[in-house]
Amino acid sequence: MEKVLGNKKTILFFVGPALLIYLLLLIVPSLWSIGYSFFDGSPIRGFEFVGFANYTTALSDSHFIDSLLASIKYAAFVTTGQVVLGLALALLFVFFLQKYSSLVRTLIFFPVILPAVAVAQLFSKLFEYSPQLGFVNDLLVTLNLDGYVQAWLAQGETAFGVLVLMDIWRSMGFYAIILYTGLIDVPDDVIEAARLDGASGFRLITSIVLPMIRPILLSAVIFSLNGTLKVFESAVALTGGGPGNSTTMLTMYMYNTAFSYGEYGYGSAIAVYLLIMCLIVTLFIYRFARKNVA
Amino acid sequence: MRKMNFPLVLLSSMVFIAGCSSSSDGDTQGGSEEREINYLSNRTANQGQPRIVLPIMEQYQEENPDVSLNLETIEQSDIVQRIQLLTASNALPDMFVYESAQLNDLIAGEYIVNIENAFEEADMLDTVRPAAIDLMQQLSGTGEMYAVPMELNIEGFWYNKEIFESLGLEEPQTWDEMMEISDVLLENEIQPFALAGQDRWPITRLINAFAVRYYGVDAMQRVADGNLSITDSGFITAAQTIQEMNDNGYFGQGVNAMDYDAATGSFLTGQSAMYYMGSWALGEMNDENQNHIGGPENIGFFNVPLVEGGEGTLEDYMMNAGLITVFSQAGFDESTRDWFEYLYTHYADHAMSEHGMVSGLATSVEPEEDDPLTQLVLDELEQAESSALWFEATFNARKQELAETNAQQLIGGSMTPEEFMGALED
Amino acid sequence: MKATIGTDQDTVRKSKQAGVGLSIIGKVFIGSFLLMTVYPIVWLLLSSFKEPAEFITNSMNALPEGLYFGNYVEAWNTGNMGVYFRNSILVTFPALVCIILFGSMAAFAIEKLRWKLKNVVMLLFLAGIMIPVQIVLLPLFQMYFNANLLNSLFGLGLVYLVFGLPLTIFLFTSYFKSVPNELIEAAVVDGATIYQIFFKLAFPLIKNAIVTVALVQFFFVWNDLIFAMSFISDSELRTIQTGLMSFAGEYGQREWGPTFASISLAVVPILILYVFLNKLVMKGMTSGAVKG
């Protein structure tokens, strides 16, 4: 047994390829960048060692704080929306739709395969205010709700809302499918037994089904946070971080700092902060998951 | 197993090569060898400047078959990032467009060619328009020209002649007159100005226009030199005026959601009467698919009006050279130098005759008969005695971003003029 | 290892016994969701047939006045959409295959093989889940430049592979956990080599996870902008994302007609592909599933 399952060559064959490119193309460059974070400068201006100065600068940099809060707010809203709606849809697929299930699944999943840039362009048109009213404002006029017609993307709060809405729209189908795969696995006899005990509808779902799919639900939350904390594409494409800096996320601030402002060391320090934040969140969830799976 | 070998071998060789961090400038070889000149632009082969440069290269190749031009197109927003990365790898393109905000770093690091000297050595400096030289010298912050002005734009107010005539309005001479005109237009339910607030820079352009009329043409230069505070009362008044104009409804509703297209469209469909913009917008104004207000003949131009008690004159123009083009020091060898001379001997004429484009290089070619706007731009250029850069031109990139970002907040009312200018103080 | 066979019949039975009221609410819910999902896309397709003037003069929700194909011509010729599309596919699918192969192998080793450092290696991979891509951009660019991997789809795919691995391994290990050790030990006793055990026994057992991972990774790779933006500059090698971005002009002009047309071009083939694969995916998912 040990000879087969503990064979060095075998282990190397299985882990080697993944580990090697992973170390080379992810870990090494990351450490390299962490190294940069102790320097001030850019490739063009050259680098100068400054110790922890970049890290302390960030803490008193109001832009950094603003974008950090924006990221957290965005992640909280979008992750909740994606997972909750995804779950709702998945439950509907399984329990209320048989004949059209596959067609509905296909349609709901469709926005997932749209390029993010394309979706952003689409939404900016949907929520357009000028030169002519976009779909949403037009609809409000039709419904005699003229009071609500506004320049959605020109105001910080509403622009943030549109961004959140767009990303939920874009990805809820994705989470619906993931959770659906978990739901399919719930054995029928468990459901049957619960039914015989008189559980039905909502109670059946919350007390029987959800615990059964907890692992996949947690995976979905991790996926989702993994994407939302590091959101970049959709915010860049929809608002470019504006109006003002209301939709500037930490990733964007980091990118701008490093590449537009030419402050590579400071940008790296911000990236390290981002890394720390993501690490804390992941570990927290992972702990939680481990405990529950066990 | 075999499947894995390819990437593995490749990767290990990658490490090996990366380990010997070589500055690979391997494309410059001896004289008669083939020379591929790398050209990085934000436009494709049939747009903007490349559509003029590439045909000139074809001509050039008749004499010099060994030289070729390799155009690479990237997004404007990625240019700075790409150049950073390429600098880190010692692999700057031989010729590339760049944002002026970061020019200083490239000059300080001696990465790019002193264009003024290059023109001097080629005995061609007299072919550059004085206004353009002045502009480029201001841009580099060193008093010397480091970039080629392949485009030259004047900025000011374009207006819809028909609307002005129908309401009996004249071109305003002072800012106050312009405000009065705006009120008349509003009463007649016409939006006075189109403004692309979503693109942010059009807002600061207006602030700058006011400030330049208040302090004179060197307003921002004096700020950069530390001889004038950006929180001085004239700048506050400038920000306040633009904020007021928005509060009065001169820019219409939801200005921060108007992008360049929407604003241009608003002006070219007669929804708004005036439009502050640079002459690069001639392309849209001359495009019959976009111009629905009676063609270019119906568009007039007036320079930024004067501010009462201000230093500025009507001979001062706001100007802009589009994205500037620079040459890398490392790639400026004999063949590039020769190509450089050939290109800028022919560029201005090609630009004008083929595309009606005004560049910073003098041309003997007249614009087409049916192109009154280009003629108008040339006439205005003749009158220009001095030029002012745009608001952020002397700012570093971080401050530029700050100014543009806050401009939206200023106009949206979530920032006072004092806060706006205060944030830009060093 | 209990196979769920005839799931469809089961769902029918389940839903029959669920409250009728609920199912009506469910249908309304689904209906409104479908409307929200589908309408913008329909609108997009319709808009792609509008003439340039219609974007300026007519309401955004007006139907196109006619079928104007000029936008498509523009998108195909100057927009180069066909090429971008091909590139996206060429880079995405090989990357996905490699992610699944390398990821599942590593996960198998971490979960089922016996060696000292496996927890350390697992932690190392887990850390990677959270590394923001921006952090490695500059060093990676320099490495790529020196290795001559810039402007190659292979190089781009490699980045996707590396960034896809941590999450994939995390997922696969949790799935391999549910494969009983006795099963593997029994196979060893029967004299199967470890390679046979992996490819013939363990790998097929995690079908579900493979589909899930493929979807997740597709989502990330397909939408990537930042690497495609940084590592590919040759316009012949652009992916859809960067290609779509290139419709913006120097001063921010955007031509909506061709933009919509190119989005449509990017979307329709993918939709067809998905509908086709959807059957396969669902088939794979609903047969021989193991509890995750």
Side-chain angles (χ1 to χ4, degrees), chain B residues 104 131-145 217-218 220-221 386-390 393-394:
Chain B
N104 305 357
I133 295 183
D134 177 45
L135 202 65
M136 291 294 126
Q137 287 172 339
Q138 287 184 53
L139 255 190
S140 71
T142 62
E144 287 194 290
M145 181 164 76
V217 76
D218 55 351
M220 294 314 290
Q221 204 56 54
S386 47
S387 59
L389 290 168
W390 57 102
T394 55

Side-chain angles (χ1 to χ4, degrees), chain B residues 14 72 75-76 82 261 269, chain C residues 56 147 229 233 246 250 254:
Chain B
M14 224 174 102
E72 210 183 90
E75 290 307 304
Q76 185 181 349
R82 172 63 57 84
D261 278 339
T269 52
Chain C
I56 296 170
M229 214 157 76
S233 50
S246 66
E250 185 175 334
R254 173 170 291 290

Side-chain angles (χ1 to χ4, degrees), chain A residues 5 22 33 92 95 106 113-114 116-117 121 132 169 181 185 188 195 226 233 264 278 282 286 290, chain C residues 10 15 29 36 55 58 114 124 129-130 135 138 170 177 222-223 225 241 259 267 270 278 285 291:
Chain A
L5 296 182
Y22 175 74
S33 251
L92 287 168
F95 288 93
T106 306
I113 55 177
L114 290 179
V117 179
Q121 289 168 3
Q132 68 265 80
W169 179 86
T181 59
D185 286 353
D188 303 325
R195 268 189 213 288
N226 185 41
E233 279 88 2
Y264 203 80
C278 293
T282 312
Y286 191 64
R290 273 279 140 130
Chain C
D10 289 325
S15 55
F29 191 70
M36 282 194 314
F55 281 102
N58 297 3
R114 298 170 187 182
L124 196 64
I129 291 184
M130 279 298 138
I135 205 171
L138 190 95
F170 168 73
K177 257 192 200 62
W222 189 248
N223 277 320
L225 188 63
Q241 300 276 353
T259 301
V267 159
I270 269 284
N278 187 40
M285 278 190 190
K291 296 291 120 0

Side-chain angles (χ1 to χ4, degrees), chain A residues 13 25 39 64 75 178 184-185 193 196 215 232 238 270 287 290:
Chain A
F13 169 78
L25 293 182
F39 287 83
F64 170 77
I178 289 204
I184 284 184
D185 286 353
L196 293 175
F232 183 80
L238 181 72
I270 294 171
R287 272 285 149 79
R290 273 279 140 130

Side-chain angles (χ1 to χ4, degrees), chain A residues 170-190:
Chain A
R170 212 161 58 90
S171 51
M172 68 189 179
F174 172 77
Y175 290 96
I177 300 282
I178 289 204
L179 294 166
Y180 173 79
T181 59
L183 283 175
I184 284 184
D185 286 353
V186 175
D188 303 325
D189 45 6
V190 173

Side-chain angles (χ1 to χ4, degrees), chain B residues 172-398:
Chain B
Q173 297 291 305
T174 68
W175 203 283
D176 287 340
E177 282 173 24
M178 192 163 73
M179 301 285 262
E180 285 160 23
I181 286 176
S182 302
D183 287 327
V184 174
L185 287 162
L186 268 188
E187 281 158 26
N188 289 280
E189 295 186 342
I190 297 165
Q191 187 181 311
F193 298 91
L195 177 63
Q198 189 179 320
D199 292 32
R200 310 185 308 183
W201 54 262
I203 307 171
T204 58
R205 285 289 207 280
L206 290 173
I207 297 170
N208 188 53
F210 188 98
V212 165
R213 285 293 180 257
Y214 188 97
Y215 290 109
V217 76
D218 55 351
M220 294 314 290
Q221 204 56 54
R222 274 155 64 198
V223 171
D225 298 343
N227 303 328
L228 175 64
S229 166
I230 191 105
T231 54
D232 197 72
S233 64
F235 286 111
I236 305 286
T237 313
Q240 206 171 338
T241 306
I242 307 307
Q243 196 178 37
E244 255 169 48
M245 288 168 80
N246 188 52
D247 292 346
N248 296 348
Y250 293 172
F251 305 134
Q253 293 294 312
V255 65
N256 281 341
M258 286 284 267
D259 64 4
Y260 179 89
D261 278 339
T264 308
S266 161
F267 176 65
L268 290 179
T269 52
Q271 292 170 28
S272 46
M274 294 178 274
Y275 190 30
Y276 180 95
M277 198 39 69
S279 50
W280 60 79
L282 256 51
E284 285 95 59
M285 294 181 197
N286 285 332
D287 178 354
E288 53 190 28
N289 291 325
Q290 295 188 58
N291 185 328
H292 299 277
I293 52 172
E297 291 78 11
N298 189 33
I299 296 175
F301 175 87
F302 59 87
N303 196 352
V304 176
L306 299 173
V307 171
E308 210 165 317
E311 315 260 330
T313 70
L314 287 174
E315 283 72 48
D316 302 342
Y317 279 79
M318 315 290 148
M319 282 196 196
N320 174 296
L323 272 184
I324 50 177
T325 303
V326 297
F327 284 75
S328 87
Q329 192 76 53
F332 208 61
D333 55 7
E334 274 314 306
S335 19
T336 314
R337 197 181 285 268
D338 191 59
W339 153 243
F340 171 91
E341 284 178 32
Y342 187 87
L343 171 64
Y344 293 117
T345 309
H346 297 83
Y347 179 82
D349 291 354
H350 268 265
M352 179 52 74
S353 59
E354 306 289 319
H355 304 286
M357 215 163 96
V358 181
S359 78
L361 301 151
T363 172
S364 51
V365 180
E366 291 287 325
E368 303 274 329
E369 284 292 311
D370 58 355
D371 190 359
L373 290 176
T374 300
Q375 191 55 56
L376 183 151
V377 170
L378 287 171
D379 294 346
E380 298 282 342
L381 273 176
E382 288 299 308
Q383 293 176 35
E385 282 176 17
S386 47
S387 59
L389 290 168
W390 57 102
F391 191 62
E392 305 87 354
T394 55
F395 294 172
N396 67 20
R398 178 181 279 274

Side-chain angles (χ1 to χ4, degrees), chain A residues 87-125:
Chain A
L87 182 65
L89 287 168
L91 289 168
L92 287 168
F93 292 162
V94 174
F95 288 93
F96 301 106
L97 285 166
Q98 324 82 48
K99 246 193 307 195
Y100 308 108
S101 182
S102 137
L103 173 73
V104 171
R105 278 202 307 267
T106 306
L107 287 173
I108 293 269
F109 189 74
F110 188 34
V112 174
I113 55 177
L114 290 179
V117 179
V119 175
Q121 289 168 3
L122 181 65
F123 268 68
S124 69
K125 275 296 185 195

